[in-house]
Amino acid sequence: MKEKLLLVDDEADFLDVLSEFLRDEGYEVAIAHDAKEALTILGARPVDLLLSDINMPGMKGFELIKEACRLYPSLKCALITAYDVRDYLYMAKHYNIGNIITKTTPFNFDEVKLLVKNILTEDVFGLDHYMSGAVEETRVRSTNEIENVIKQIVGGMPDLRHKRKFRQVLNEIIVNAVYYGAKSERGRPERLLAAGGEPVVRGGDRYPVGPPTPKRPGSRCATQKGVLTKEEVLYWLERNATRGEDGVSVGLLDEHGKGLFISRETIDRFIVNIKARGTPRKS
């Protein structure tokens, strides 16, 4: 049985192109040009996934998803935008929305295909869900190995600028996972999943880290300890992205959140996946 998608965007050309692509991928696709039309369609037929633009005349994408989820709690949703996601961190936090797809130029259809599949199946953990090709693992068995592991991962990257940025992100994420993953500043367990992280059993001092693929570097860092929530991730990202009246980040002096923000700002894609406590991970 085909899974049913509803695309909402006031740009007719974009709707035509994306809907045709997703139909070719085997989905049943309905389209709407505004939120009012989308709510009418949702009331008339079952929909598995709602993909909505953010900026539309009348009701905006955030408001549409809030109302759609109120009416249909099992509905899966994601937002699409051509603008910088940083501009919408406050709204994402306010409406508790974690899936935002960017309209890249040229538009990345393969990435959208992967994200749609991941959202529908809820099978999101693992670098292979976001990048094709073989994925290997390097395990950090002690804190003394962190530097060597980072060198090993970035060693094959030909672009020095990309290598420097990737190294910075790996250092932030791995160090946070090793030193702060087990306990938060509030004295309770904390969970950090970054760069497309996959939950695995953290035995002793073992922290799985995947190396880059030949065509596009990617890495994951994971820990199963802790209870960092989507709300907390959005909170820290939004605080660091917001400027005060003095032009300085309001989160500048915060003891938490900088690693998440630096990683989000530095690399092409930063994905945080969190498994709810008590929910079995799908294979």
Side-chain angles (χ1 to χ4, degrees):
M1 184 176 179
K2 291 185 177 180
E3 290 162 308
K4 300 173 177 61
L5 312 183
L6 173 58
L7 308 183
V8 190
D9 201 308
D10 59 323
E11 296 182 16
D13 291 343
F14 178 75
L15 272 183
D16 290 341
V17 171
L18 185 56
S19 61
E20 182 180 356
F21 170 76
L22 290 171
R23 289 188 185 106
D24 289 342
E25 292 298 318
Y27 298 107
E28 183 178 320
V29 182
I31 62 173
H33 298 87
D34 55 39
K36 182 178 179 181
E37 185 180 1
L39 291 172
T40 300
I41 293 173
L42 287 170
R45 67 180 75 173
V47 172
D48 299 302
L49 173 61
L50 168 64
L51 293 173
S52 175
D53 186 29
I54 292 180
N55 281 322
M56 300 181 294
M59 183 183 289
K60 306 300 182 184
F62 284 104
E63 297 165 327
L64 168 60
I65 285 183
K66 179 181 179 181
E67 179 65 9
C69 290
R70 183 186 70 81
L71 294 171
Y72 313 102
S74 63
L75 179 67
K76 297 179 175 65
C77 301
L79 288 168
I80 303 177
T81 182
Y83 298 96
D84 192 329
V85 174
R86 285 178 298 181
D87 298 336
Y88 297 104
L89 284 173
Y90 170 78
M91 300 297 288
K93 183 189 73 172
H94 180 73
Y95 288 98
N96 195 27
I97 296 173
N99 297 313
I100 302 181
I101 301 170
T102 54
K103 295 180 183 177
T104 57
T105 304
F107 191 69
N108 192 331
F109 288 97
D110 287 337
E111 184 174 44
V112 170
K113 177 176 69 175
L114 284 172
L115 290 173
V116 166
K117 178 183 176 183
N118 293 345
I119 294 170
L120 283 169
T121 62
E122 298 182 351
D123 187 9
V124 298
F125 296 108
L127 195 60
D128 56 329
H129 287 75
Y130 304 92
M131 303 179 72
S132 59
V135 176
E136 301 176 0
E137 272 192 1
T138 300
R139 292 181 178 270
V140 181
R141 292 177 171 82
S142 74
T143 55
N144 294 331
E145 295 180 2
I146 294 176
E147 181 64 23
N148 287 334
V149 167
I150 292 176
K151 287 181 179 179
Q152 177 183 339
I153 292 173
V154 303
M157 298 178 66
D159 190 300
L160 292 178
R161 183 173 61 89
H162 291 165
K163 180 184 292 188
R164 185 169 60 251
K165 288 185 175 182
F166 208 71
R167 180 186 182 88
Q168 179 185 16
V169 170
L170 283 174
N171 185 71
E172 288 287 343
I173 294 302
I174 296 175
V175 169
N176 270 279
V178 172
Y179 288 101
Y180 306 115
K183 284 285 186 179
S184 73
E185 295 289 335
R186 295 183 291 272
R188 62 174 178 74
E190 176 179 283
R191 177 194 189 92
L192 178 62
L193 305 178
E198 173 182 352
V200 294
V201 175
R202 184 172 110 175
D205 291 323
R206 300 168 68 127
Y207 302 89
V209 180
T213 62
K215 291 185 178 180
R216 187 180 182 187
S219 184
R220 71 182 181 197
C221 182
T223 173
Q224 280 201 328
K225 290 189 176 181
V227 288
L228 185 65
T229 66
K230 178 176 68 176
E231 292 80 5
E232 287 176 309
V233 171
L234 292 172
Y235 171 79
W236 295 119
L237 289 175
E238 190 262 338
R239 275 190 61 80
N240 281 275
T242 301
R243 303 291 176 180
E245 294 181 358
D246 57 0
V248 177
S249 167
V250 298
L252 179 64
L253 300 180
D254 291 347
E255 295 182 347
H256 273 301
K258 289 186 181 63
L260 290 172
F261 182 72
I262 290 172
S263 301
R264 164 68 182 85
E265 293 294 294
T266 303
I267 58 178
D268 179 47
R269 287 291 183 271
F270 179 65
I271 301 171
V272 179
N273 290 324
I274 299 175
K275 179 170 70 71
R277 301 186 75 181
T279 302
R281 178 170 67 88
K282 296 182 179 181
S283 60

